[in-house]
Structure formats: C-alpha cells, structure tokens
Amino acid sequence: MANPRIRTLTWWRKWAKRDWAIAAVGFTIILFAFTLLFDSRNPDLNSTDDLVPLTLLHRAKATGAFCLDGSLPAYHFQKGFGSGSNSWVLHIEGGGWCNSIESCNYRKRTALGSSNYMDQLVQFSGILSRHPSQNPDFYNWNKVKIRYCDGASLAGHPESEFKNGTKLFFRGQLIWEAFTDELLSLGLSNAKQALLSGCSAGGLATLIHCDDFRDHLPNDATVKCLADAGFFLDEPDILGKRTMRAFYHDVVQLQGTAKSLHKNCVGRMEPSKCFFPQEIVKNVRTPLFIVNPAYDFWQIQHILVPDSSDPHGYWSRCRLNIQNCNSSQIETLQGFRNSLLKALSELQQNEEVGMFINSCFIHCQTLMAETWHSPRINNKTIAESVGDWYFNRKVLKQIDCPYPCNPTCYNMDFTRGL
C-alpha cells in the first residue's frame, strides 16, 4: 500500500490530550505542513502567482461580524478569467470548534479565532489551483478561501455572548452573511456557475449554509455544494459514551448555533443533534457531493477513540498510524466505516448527490494536489469524480472497499518524530 511517511510534529500527542480546540489548532498546522510537503513534489506549481493575499472584510464592522477576539474576518480571493469569469469556487477553511469559555479564549489567540494571526499569503492548490493540469474543471474560476475564525462552523449568534468581561464574540452567522454580501458585490451576484465547498468544520459549515448560498444566486445559475471530511458521526466511542454528542451540545449551547439550523430539525429534537450532518442533509435542497475517508483520522482520534476512552493507551499506536492497528482494532474501525455508510444510506438514493468515500487514514483531501488526484476508486480520482458530478457528465457514488484494499491511499503517520 502506498503510505508515505508524513513527518508530523511531536507535540500533536500532547495537544490532543488538552482541549479539542487546542488540538484543532495543531491539526491546522499539520495540514499546512502536509500541503507544503505534497506541493513540494510539484515544483512547477510553486510560483509566487499561486500565493494569494489576505483581504480583511471591512464591511463586517458595520454589522458587528467579528472573529472570536473582535478582529475582522478575512478571506483570500483570486479573480477568474476567460470562460471562468462568471464561475465561482468558494472554500471554507476548517479547524474544529470551541465548546467552552476557556477553549474559545485560547482559540482567539490563534489564526482560528483572530485575523491578527492569519498568514498574509496562502497557496491555492487542489480544487483552488489555477493550473489546468491540476484542476481542469475549475482552474480559471473565481476562487475564494474563507478563513475560519468563529469556532462554530459559521453558525454562532451574538445573543449567546457573555457580558462578564470574557470579551468573546460569537458572530459566526453574521460572518457568513457579511462574506455573502462582500462576494456578491465582487461579482458573485452574476454567477453562472458556483460551488460552495469546505473542509472539516468548514465542510460542516458548507452543509449548514448550502441552501442559503443557493438562494442568494441567480435562479438560472448552476449551484452545488461539496463537503470534504465534514460528515461527522454521532457515534459512541469505544467505551459506549457519546463523546461527540456531548461536545456538540456544549458548542451549540455556548454559541447559540440552533438559530442557524433547520427549524424542522430543532423543532423535533435536541438542537445539538441537528448539528450532525446526518440530520442537516435531510433538509438540504441543493445538490451535494460528499468527500469523506471511511477511516478519517480526526474522527477516529476524537469520536471513536478520544483520549478519555483509552486511559491505558491500548489504542495509542493504532490511532496515530492505521498500519499499527491489530486485528481486533481493525474490526472496530470496520464497524465505524459501516456506521458512516449507514449514515449516508439515504443520500445514496438521491440521484443528485455524488460521493467519494475512500478507505484512507486521512482528513481533508480536496485542497492538496496529491490527494485531489489520488486516491482512486474504480480508476477515478476525487477531482474527476467531482467534475463529472458538477457538470452532469456522470453522477457517481464511489464507495471504496474496506481497508487495506486501496493501494492508492495517502495514509497519515503521526508516529514519525515521536
């Protein structure tokens, strides 16, 4: 099996034992390093033309659409050209959530809670690449990377803010609305084609705001949404505890995200359950594409086997490198994969929905050149499958065989350097 030894930083294990919000910051740094490593194998792609500057969302000040620390939200914009001048790809950055005053206070001192810490230049690759050889279907579109700085998948509401001196701003919904207004003024209002995408917590934000995005664009525009590694499961951990459900409950209560969720859902069940994609997609009208690894390392490390569920470290080597898992652990992982497929079963019946569910130990694959073009399922890459779906060449639901069947996978290895 193809399994490059991706070098990671030694403090990942330590950060994973602290708050999830802190671990999310660590993951963002790892993902950035991961992107640089893969892009370094493609020297032709590494030019200054690919570096896109940060733009502060100044119009957000008028509506109070602030990041957690009160700074202005920000984005990166690369103008389309030629046949792509009236086509748009938006990508919402990921990076977990904060579920407490403590974790949000930590987060506001990072790029995931403040534009003061964001990189001034980022490289666009994968689905945001401007190179036709790497991104043949979307290379000349207008491309936007929306930076993530609210800690609640752009769904928080100021009514939930505390007025006791904590100085935290829960303005995710206002941030989303400010971004929408800004991009409409830049030409999105005239879009003929548009694709809203996002990774991880940004993938969840994509699902939450997909129909609203559709409703702001011309009726005759082709508008679709893509969630990459954003299909988080409401599954018990290995001790039978609903760790993720409890975590989402805290996020929803702290930041008041229920107001951004579908009324039909929050009217019939506890709002935090409506924060799970399995419930969100039941009410989404806009065509969707789901990219998700069946062995998503973030979900394995935080939903299936969180630190609290493994006090003796039985899973420590497995959760950092799937090749270290024994037969019993692999059996548990196969059960987790089955739960994902079951959660997706209704979507599999929808002719407008596309899927790429591969058997890799990874998280987020559309922004990196290598994973955008590998792995393959039935000899199709993610890039090819998304393009076929968006342009109605063929709507495919690519479901991989169970691990370890796919030799084209890039599997993360967090044991290097420990």
Side-chain angles (χ1 to χ4, degrees):
M1 167 171 289
N3 184 23
R5 293 284 185 171
I6 307 303
R7 184 171 180 80
T8 58
L9 303 179
T10 58
W11 34 254
W12 171 263
R13 185 197 299 260
K14 295 178 181 177
W15 278 20
K17 291 181 179 179
R18 298 172 70 186
D19 192 274
W20 284 16
I22 303 175
V25 177
F27 164 68
T28 301
I29 297 171
I30 289 171
L31 182 61
F32 177 68
F34 189 32
T35 305
L36 290 182
L37 174 64
F38 278 159
D39 286 345
S40 68
R41 300 177 184 176
N42 297 280
D44 293 339
L45 303 186
N46 294 331
S47 71
T48 55
D49 292 340
D50 297 315
L51 296 175
V52 183
L54 187 75
T55 299
L56 292 178
L57 190 62
H58 290 289
R59 70 172 61 220
K61 186 179 296 185
T63 58
F66 301 125
C67 297
L68 280 171
D69 70 332
S71 61
L72 292 174
Y75 64 97
H76 304 263
F77 172 56
Q78 189 175 69
K79 191 171 179 58
F81 59 93
S83 62
S85 297
N86 289 319
S87 299
W88 292 71
V89 176
L90 280 61
H91 186 90
I92 305 174
E93 181 182 32
W97 311 267
C98 58
N99 67 327
S100 66
I101 295 295
E102 179 185 10
S103 62
C104 290
N105 269 326
Y106 180 91
R107 191 182 187 95
K108 77 177 186 180
R109 296 188 291 273
T110 75
L112 290 173
S114 170
S115 58
N116 294 327
Y117 300 94
M118 293 176 183
D119 292 326
Q120 292 300 305
L121 295 171
V122 301
Q123 188 167 20
F124 277 13
S125 58
I127 197 171
L128 296 181
S129 173
R130 68 177 186 87
H131 298 274
S133 63
Q134 293 297 314
N135 193 22
D137 286 313
F138 310 109
Y139 74 95
N140 62 349
W141 288 26
N142 295 281
K143 293 183 286 289
V144 182
K145 181 173 182 177
I146 294 174
R147 300 303 295 266
Y148 176 44
C149 69
D150 75 300
S153 290
L154 299 180
H157 287 262
E159 293 86 348
S160 295
E161 290 173 3
F162 291 82
K163 307 300 181 183
N164 59 358
T166 57
K167 295 183 179 178
L168 287 169
F169 294 84
F170 299 141
R171 309 286 177 93
Q173 179 65 39
L174 292 176
I175 292 173
W176 165 254
E177 292 169 3
F179 273 128
T180 301
D181 291 344
E182 173 92 346
L183 297 176
L184 288 171
S185 72
L186 292 177
L188 181 62
S189 60
N190 299 316
K192 301 299 183 184
Q193 301 176 116
L195 176 62
L196 176 65
S197 67
C199 151
S200 192
L204 179 60
T206 296
L207 296 175
I208 291 172
H209 296 297
C210 180
D211 284 340
D212 181 69
F213 180 66
R214 160 68 274 186
D215 291 343
H216 276 87
L217 299 187
N219 291 333
D220 61 350
T222 300
V223 183
K224 300 185 180 184
C225 301
L226 185 161
D228 177 8
F231 209 91
F232 299 95
L233 297 181
D234 183 14
E235 279 291 295
D237 63 29
I238 56 174
L239 294 183
K241 297 180 180 179
R242 297 276 180 174
T243 302
M244 193 64 178
R245 185 183 294 181
F247 182 82
Y248 270 179
H249 176 270
D250 292 344
V251 174
V252 171
Q253 290 295 112
L254 179 69
Q255 298 218 37
T257 67
K259 290 182 65 176
S260 292
L261 304 176
H262 203 281
K263 294 180 180 179
N264 288 347
C265 186
V266 296
R268 60 185 173 82
M269 63 176 64
E270 207 280 322
S272 61
K273 294 182 181 179
C274 300
F275 207 55
F276 282 98
Q278 186 175 357
E279 296 300 329
I280 295 172
V281 297
K282 292 178 181 178
N283 294 295
V284 176
R285 308 182 310 273
T286 309
L288 294 172
F289 195 99
I290 306 296
V291 175
N292 228 88
Y295 309 91
D296 184 317
F297 75 71
W298 195 94
Q299 295 204 48
I300 289 171
Q301 294 173 355
H302 294 88
I303 298 179
L304 182 63
V305 195
D307 283 327
S308 60
S309 70
D310 186 38
H312 303 295
Y314 172 71
W315 279 81
S316 59
R317 295 182 71 249
C318 172
R319 68 202 292 270
L320 296 175
N321 183 344
I322 196 170
Q323 290 191 328
N324 292 334
C325 301
N326 61 37
S327 58
S328 175
Q329 291 167 332
I330 290 293
E331 184 177 351
T332 300
L333 295 182
Q334 304 298 20
F336 193 74
R337 171 183 179 270
N338 291 338
S339 295
L340 173 64
L341 297 182
K342 182 178 179 181
L344 291 169
S345 59
E346 287 189 31
L347 286 182
Q348 291 188 46
Q349 311 306 315
N350 189 327
E351 293 183 355
E352 292 189 314
V353 172
M355 292 183 191
F356 195 97
I357 311 299
N358 56 285
S359 293
C360 308
F361 186 66
I362 200 165
H363 181 74
C364 291
Q365 300 173 87
T366 59
L367 274 190
M368 294 174 285
E370 292 275 351
T371 49
W372 183 230
H373 293 284
S374 182
R376 291 176 174 268
I377 304 176
N378 299 321
N379 206 34
K380 283 280 188 177
T381 65
I382 296 173
E384 291 168 337
S385 299
V386 170
D388 285 347
W389 160 78
Y390 185 88
F391 293 102
N392 296 321
R393 296 190 291 252
K394 186 180 293 185
V395 179
L396 297 175
K397 293 176 175 60
Q398 304 279 20
I399 310 294
D400 211 352
C401 47
Y403 176 85
C405 72
N406 193 335
T408 66
C409 276
Y410 283 97
N411 294 315
M412 288 296 284
D413 179 2
F414 293 101
T415 63
R416 289 298 296 265
L418 294 182

